[in-house]
Amino acid sequence: MGVAVAIMFAGSAAVVDEWTDVPFLPAIPGVVVAWIVSVAIHEAGHFIVARRSGMTPYCVAVIGLYAWASSDGWRVRFTRLPASVGGFVISHFDADRSFRQQMLPMLVAGSGANLLMGLLLGAIGAWFWPSSGGAYLCALAFFSACVGVANLIPVRNKFLDNDGLLLLHWLRGDCEHAPAMLMHRLNALSIKGITAENYPTEWIEGLRDTPVLGPAVRHWFRLCARQNTGAWSDIAEIGQEFEADVQALPPAAAKALSVFIQQMRTEVVFSEAMASEHDDGGICRHIDALLDWYFPALRPRCQALEAALRGDRVAMRGFLGESEKKMRKTHDLGYKKSEEIIRGSIMAAAK
């Protein structure tokens, strides 16, 4: 990558001045553009092949651009990624197909896209050689190819295992049935349209053995199952157990799960209000702008319950309609069905 950056500087310098002068400062934007283009090509390769393999991508990040497939469609915002992470694509598996057959092509697709783009840009650059534009395209071709090769070298950093290390794990062992894959298996069922009360109990309880995050996340599926079956009074105890597991999380893990923690607390408060048929005016108290961004249907659903419990059926129907509208574009069919069940429970509470 060091050699690639040096050659990219030379290619950028060729565009802004003569080769002999090599003005480094004016060449910097050309290197930055090359980095952004290479990362975007890499993540596009992951995204396209993930879709072709049957997976459902729901999160894409390229440099500081972050896209999330919310229930109301794709949403885009700018966020700060760790310095060692240029981008990533996170996808749900297809529950009816081998996870390994979906994961392997997706992992190599990013580097494959970089190498393919390198060949294409190199051919175009060679055609226009020795013009400054041809020099820049050849340098960009080399840079893109180096990004692809570098991502296949197995590396573990503080935040994410790179493509090469993940590929090595999936080639060597039976990752599909490892305890760490239980969350992915449960999410795959939800994508398919299966709701939480129908999940294998041993899968949900097996999350206890998943390092760090599993014990806290396990309560989400337990809560959803109780909501779908109307067992609202059981959820207060789940909320207490969840808070105990959150307290046991390392600070870095708690920060990474902050949005989920706010969502879980909101659902507990909502469920307690359903159980008591009483609103103390705070059902939405854990919902902030960030939670609205990730889960836009949550606030109007909570507002619908507040309206129902104070006897305002007109406002309730308006909020329920807004919540339903914000669920129409979701890729998660199980989540969509659960929200339909909960909206029916709110209408029953109003009666």
Side-chain angles (χ1 to χ4, degrees):
M1 287 307 301
V3 173
V5 170
I7 290 178
M8 200 63 244
F9 262 112
S12 301
V15 174
V16 296
D17 208 334
E18 299 295 331
W19 279 96
T20 53
D21 295 330
V22 191
F24 287 102
L25 289 179
I28 289 176
V31 179
V32 173
V33 169
W35 173 246
I36 294 173
V37 169
S38 297
V39 173
I41 290 170
H42 185 91
E43 303 309 334
H46 284 312
F47 184 91
I48 292 170
V49 174
R51 292 288 297 269
R52 297 280 295 181
S53 300
M55 304 177 81
T56 304
Y58 69 93
C59 180
V60 181
V62 176
I63 311 299
L65 191 66
Y66 181 88
W68 170 271
S70 75
S71 62
D72 199 23
W74 281 92
R75 296 188 163 201
V76 179
R77 61 193 291 260
F78 288 93
T79 188
R80 183 172 176 268
L81 295 180
S84 59
V85 178
F88 55 81
V89 173
I90 305 177
S91 303
H92 291 303
F93 290 97
D94 181 347
D96 296 326
R97 301 180 60 187
S98 164
F99 286 8
R100 191 172 189 268
Q101 291 177 359
Q102 297 172 67
M103 196 69 173
L104 292 180
M106 192 272 285
L107 286 173
V108 301
S111 293
N114 283 128
L115 295 172
L116 183 61
M117 186 58 64
L119 288 173
L120 179 61
L121 292 175
I124 297 173
W127 179 266
F128 290 102
W129 190 270
S131 68
S132 59
Y136 183 82
L137 288 175
C138 286
L140 180 56
F142 184 78
F143 188 87
S144 178
C146 286
V147 169
V149 173
N151 272 277
L152 291 177
I153 300 173
V155 173
R156 173 180 286 115
N157 64 38
K158 183 179 179 181
F159 300 98
L160 293 171
D161 293 345
N162 79 335
D163 296 341
L165 187 58
L166 290 172
L167 184 62
L168 192 63
H169 288 326
W170 280 87
L171 286 172
R172 281 183 171 179
D174 186 17
C175 295
E176 184 165 346
H177 297 97
M181 292 299 295
L182 279 176
M183 170 67 74
H184 297 285
R185 294 164 73 184
L186 291 165
N187 283 335
L189 293 180
S190 186
I191 295 295
K192 187 179 178 181
I194 299 173
T195 50
E197 70 274 17
N198 298 308
Y199 295 168
T201 304
E202 62 272 18
W203 287 11
I204 296 176
E205 295 305 318
L207 290 172
R208 289 176 180 270
D209 302 324
T210 302
V212 186
L213 305 182
V217 175
R218 173 180 69 100
H219 301 298
W220 168 256
F221 298 103
R222 298 175 63 216
L223 178 144
C224 291
R226 302 304 192 283
Q227 286 183 329
N228 291 343
T229 56
W232 303 105
S233 58
D234 296 344
I235 294 176
E237 182 179 353
I238 293 176
Q240 294 171 1
E241 295 175 11
F242 171 75
E243 293 296 341
D245 285 331
V246 167
Q247 293 299 318
L249 287 172
K255 183 178 179 180
L257 285 179
S258 60
V259 173
F260 165 69
I261 292 171
Q262 294 296 92
Q263 181 191 22
M264 186 74 181
R265 286 171 175 167
T266 300
E267 294 291 4
V268 170
V269 173
F270 175 91
S271 301
E272 289 175 345
M274 286 290 296
S276 65
E277 297 185 347
H278 174 72
D279 173 24
D280 60 4
I283 295 177
C284 295
R285 63 178 177 267
H286 294 298
I287 302 178
D288 56 14
L290 192 58
L291 193 58
D292 276 329
W293 190 84
Y294 279 102
F295 302 100
L298 181 57
R299 185 187 291 271
R301 187 242 287 170
C302 291
Q303 291 172 324
L305 179 59
E306 291 174 343
L309 294 180
R310 66 173 181 264
D312 189 347
R313 296 191 180 186
V314 174
M316 178 200 71
R317 285 192 289 269
F319 287 126
L320 286 177
E322 182 182 351
S323 179
E324 182 181 9
K325 181 179 178 181
K326 292 183 180 296
M327 286 298 303
R328 289 175 184 170
K329 297 179 182 178
T330 183
H331 59 268
D332 190 336
L333 299 182
Y335 178 32
K336 187 175 184 178
K337 288 181 179 179
S338 293
E339 287 295 311
E340 291 172 356
I341 294 170
I342 293 173
R343 289 196 299 272
S345 297
I346 293 173
M347 295 180 69
K351 295 177 181 179

